[in-house]
Amino acid sequence: MTKKADGKVLMTAEEMDLALSRIAAEIVEKLGTRGEFGIIGIRRRGVHLAQRLSRKVEAILHQPTLNGILDITLYRDDLTTVSNRPLLRETSIDFDVNNLSLVLVDDVLYTGRTIRAALDGLVDLGRPKRVQLAVLIDRGHRELPIQADYVGKHVQTADDEIVEVRMKEEDEEERVVLVKNPSVRTGA
Amino acid sequence: MASLTHKDLLGIEQLSVDDVELVLDTAAALKEVADRPVKKVPTLRGKTVINLFFEPSTRTRSSFELAEKRLSADILNFAASTSSVSKGETLLDTARNLESMAPDMIVIRHPSAGAPHLLSRECRSSIINAGDGMHEHPTQALLDALTVREVKGGISGLKIAIIGDVAHSRVARSDTILFSKLGAEVWACSPPTLMPWDFCRLGARITGHIEEALDSADVVMMLRVQTERQHEAFFPSTREYFNFYGLTRERMKLAKEDTVVMHPGPMNRGVEIDSDVADAPWSLILNQVANGVAVRMAILYLLSGNAGLRPRRVR
């Protein structure tokens, strides 16, 4: 993100942290206190959210969690229409996903196409016991039958708006804002 | 966001440093696919790639084929010996016929320099040069760069010695252009009979003495003596060639202590390289082969969807 248009603030840094703490507690509640699950972040911002979630889960369980990074570029359904293609980065999941519960983490759930691609990517790595989805923001407008298991905040949005999750790992600031999109985008 | 804005990959000459970095970064990310239980991603599903090989090739062809398969492309293999080329069809007619089958990409190897460029002008599909005569072999140079970058951490400032049959080697040409472009000091060394008089124009320093080329070299790139392209006697005997230009353990002492040895293959053991040099820990020859698949996947991925772009003017 290079341009930082000011918009309506949806979540402050404190609210983001509180939401992540709640999601971490919910994950432990649903998937068990023995920590037999992996947390996988979707590039790019999902990775930082997954790392923060893992640290919070570790603090609850007092044991290390399994952590991975998924790059979904190769699984996108719009590659032929994207002339400026996203930079491909490495997928790095160094544990066996077979028979393991997994939590996919992304920043914003919108059309659902990113998650569709992520599920395809995960299946190529093995047969997980179950896959759940955690997102910081659910902004509606789904184009596929996909729902999140853990949501930081539900937000009503219009098609010509963009939800920007700004995190200190990638941006200068830490908050979630809603900005107007000058060129209305379609698809994921 | 980043992309190659070229329709084709005809040579290293047309690539900018940014283009090269993008290809190498993408290839590095794609290496992970080879370690998966399912070594396949759906990226090029529904795309058709034609492998058009007018010259015998095992390594490059299998490498391209594997790269295409790992990206889920549909593949059509044409070998000149079994096609209408042996019945007298011209390259242009072959190309137009293939183009009518609406492929997305054509990988071509041809004994004449410029054959991919001709196809590039005639075809809508993306053309990938897999070696044209004694001109260029861009994917080999890119995989060499990836291999060096992995081991040395970077390429700028390295001394790279390219030794052997420079005249007949498209690898020497592409490697010299690429490594010079990336800021390395390239030395080309061969018997005077096998050194093109204007090779220094590509950015290499020229020498006839292997000792001078090897002196403090970070990377030693050996070239195959291409007897099939040599229609006259360029040196008296392979034994004499080995005595003057063969890479031996003794000569390796001239290079840097952490030097690495590369070879585009297939090797002639005992002609340009001694067996115990080829099999020593400093040899990256098998890394080159593994990286070859990743680099070709990167090129296929980055060019896919670029068919129909206006071909770049070749200077």
Side-chain angles (χ1 to χ4, degrees):
Chain A
M1 297 266 156
T2 43
K3 92 174 169 8
K4 291 269 177 287
D6 268 341
K8 185 183 159 201
V9 176
L10 298 176
M11 281 178 117
T12 62
E14 294 74 34
E15 285 168 336
M16 285 168 72
D17 190 58
L18 277 174
L20 287 176
S21 298
R22 173 172 54 76
I23 292 174
E26 285 174 8
I27 289 173
V28 173
E29 187 188 344
K30 278 200 189 167
L31 294 181
T33 48
R34 283 191 290 173
E36 288 165 344
F37 53 85
I39 298 179
I40 293 177
I42 299 174
R43 284 200 193 271
R44 290 162 36 198
R45 284 178 178 70
V47 173
H48 307 305
L49 289 170
Q51 277 159 3
R52 293 187 191 182
L53 271 179
S54 295
R55 281 199 294 273
K56 289 181 185 295
V57 168
E58 282 165 8
I60 299 171
L61 295 178
H62 305 293
Q63 68 179 60
T65 58
L66 296 171
N67 244 299
I69 296 174
L70 190 64
D71 186 293
I72 59 131
T73 311
L74 295 168
Y75 294 88
R76 288 173 67 126
D77 58 4
D78 58 352
L79 273 180
T80 47
T81 56
V82 185
S83 57
N84 203 0
R85 54 202 51 222
L87 190 61
L88 180 66
R89 308 271 292 275
E90 196 183 353
T91 286
S92 141
I93 296 174
D94 54 5
F95 52 86
D96 185 8
V97 300
N98 282 300
N99 268 321
L100 194 69
S101 295
L102 298 176
V103 181
L104 273 177
V105 184
D106 203 2
D107 53 352
V108 180
L109 180 56
Y110 182 25
T111 60
R113 287 179 192 269
T114 299
I115 306 305
R116 198 278 312 160
L119 288 172
D120 277 3
L122 272 188
V123 167
D124 277 358
L125 299 174
R127 185 179 185 279
K129 186 175 169 194
R130 69 165 75 84
V131 181
Q132 297 191 330
L133 175 62
V135 295
L136 191 61
I137 301 283
D138 182 348
R139 60 167 293 189
H141 302 281
R142 217 76 81 237
E143 292 169 7
L144 292 171
I146 282 170
Q147 297 306 330
D149 301 274
Y150 314 98
V151 179
K153 186 172 187 174
H154 291 273
V155 180
Q156 293 278 352
T157 59
D159 252 339
D160 61 348
E161 290 170 323
I162 303 177
V163 176
E164 282 187 12
V165 175
R166 299 177 185 167
M167 302 182 67
K168 60 177 190 295
E169 290 93 333
E170 296 270 346
D171 317 284
E172 294 118 47
E173 54 177 355
E174 175 100 359
R175 57 178 166 172
V176 183
V177 293
L178 188 66
V179 294
K180 280 278 177 201
N181 187 355
S183 58
V184 180
R185 65 173 194 173
T186 51
Chain B
M1 297 289 240
S3 65
L4 275 187
T5 50
H6 306 251
K7 169 178 159 286
D8 314 295
L9 176 70
L10 300 177
I12 296 296
E13 216 177 336
Q14 291 88 25
L15 299 180
S16 68
V17 173
D18 285 347
D19 290 339
V20 173
E21 300 281 350
L22 173 65
V23 172
L24 299 187
D25 290 344
T26 306
L30 281 164
K31 280 188 82 172
E32 161 266 329
V33 175
D35 301 327
R36 298 184 182 187
V38 180
K39 297 180 181 42
K40 207 176 181 73
V41 290
T43 318
L44 294 189
R45 204 172 46 188
K47 300 268 182 197
T48 308
V49 183
I50 294 181
N51 296 318
L52 188 56
F53 278 69
F54 292 91
E55 261 187 358
S57 158
T58 317
R59 196 176 327 254
T60 306
R61 213 186 91 161
S62 354
S63 182
F64 265 110
E65 203 170 321
L66 205 53
E68 291 151 8
K69 284 180 172 163
R70 289 203 173 148
L71 291 172
S72 304
D74 295 316
I75 308 176
L76 202 56
N77 284 322
F78 274 83
S81 51
T82 58
S83 74
S84 301
V85 175
S86 57
K87 297 174 193 160
E89 191 175 59
T90 65
L91 174 63
L92 212 48
D93 283 330
T94 306
R96 284 174 182 155
N97 277 282
L98 293 176
E99 184 74 357
S100 311
M101 299 181 202
D104 297 282
M105 289 187 253
I106 299 177
V107 177
I108 177 175
R109 164 166 290 190
H110 198 280
S112 301
H117 306 68
L118 177 70
L119 251 61
S120 156
R121 290 192 292 273
E122 289 298 319
C123 298
R124 208 193 145 272
S125 14
S126 291
I127 309 297
I128 299 173
N129 183 357
D132 61 328
M134 295 182 258
H135 180 223
E136 278 228 48
H137 191 353
T139 55
Q140 176 72 40
L142 289 164
L143 75 88
D144 287 342
L146 179 64
T147 310
V148 172
R149 198 180 78 162
E150 273 175 2
V151 176
K152 298 286 177 189
I155 284 163
S156 185
L158 297 180
K159 176 177 176 181
I160 297 181
I162 300 176
I163 299 164
D165 185 354
V166 172
H168 298 99
S169 174
R170 50 197 172 209
V171 177
R173 238 165 231 86
S174 288
D175 269 345
T176 302
I177 301 172
L178 181 58
F179 283 114
S180 310
K181 205 171 265 208
L182 297 175
E185 180 187 327
V186 181
W187 285 73
C189 169
S190 77
T193 47
L194 288 172
M195 179 63 73
W197 66 272
D198 58 349
F199 200 78
C200 55
R201 283 196 193 170
L202 300 180
R205 301 182 193 202
I206 311 293
T207 176
H209 303 283
I210 188 168
E211 291 78 13
E212 196 181 359
L214 285 176
D215 181 38
S216 311
D218 296 281
V219 177
V220 182
M221 183 91 61
M222 297 307 292
L223 302 173
R224 185 169 65 91
V225 175
Q226 304 197 25
T227 40
E228 79 276 16
R229 289 186 209 277
Q230 296 174 1
H231 304 302
E232 47 190 297
F234 289 96
F235 47 83
S237 69
T238 51
R239 176 194 284 253
E240 181 168 324
Y241 182 87
F242 181 71
N243 283 340
F244 281 96
Y245 293 98
L247 191 62
T248 58
R249 202 169 264 278
E250 195 53 35
R251 284 189 171 134
M252 281 297 288
K253 289 178 185 157
L254 296 167
K256 281 211 180 122
E257 208 167 305
D258 61 347
T259 192
V260 290
V261 174
M262 296 165 71
H263 193 299
M267 269 187 287
N268 293 319
R269 286 171 189 261
V271 179
E272 69 262 3
I273 189 164
D274 212 356
S275 247
D276 62 345
V277 175
D279 301 329
W282 56 48
S283 162
L284 297 180
I285 297 169
L286 297 177
N287 302 39
Q288 287 174 275
V289 179
N291 283 342
V293 179
V295 157
R296 287 168 182 128
M297 284 171 79
I299 291 293
L300 291 162
Y301 164 69
L302 291 169
L303 289 183
S304 69
N306 286 4
L309 285 184
R310 223 152 42 88
R312 286 277 175 103
R313 282 274 151 249
V314 182
R315 279 148 295 163

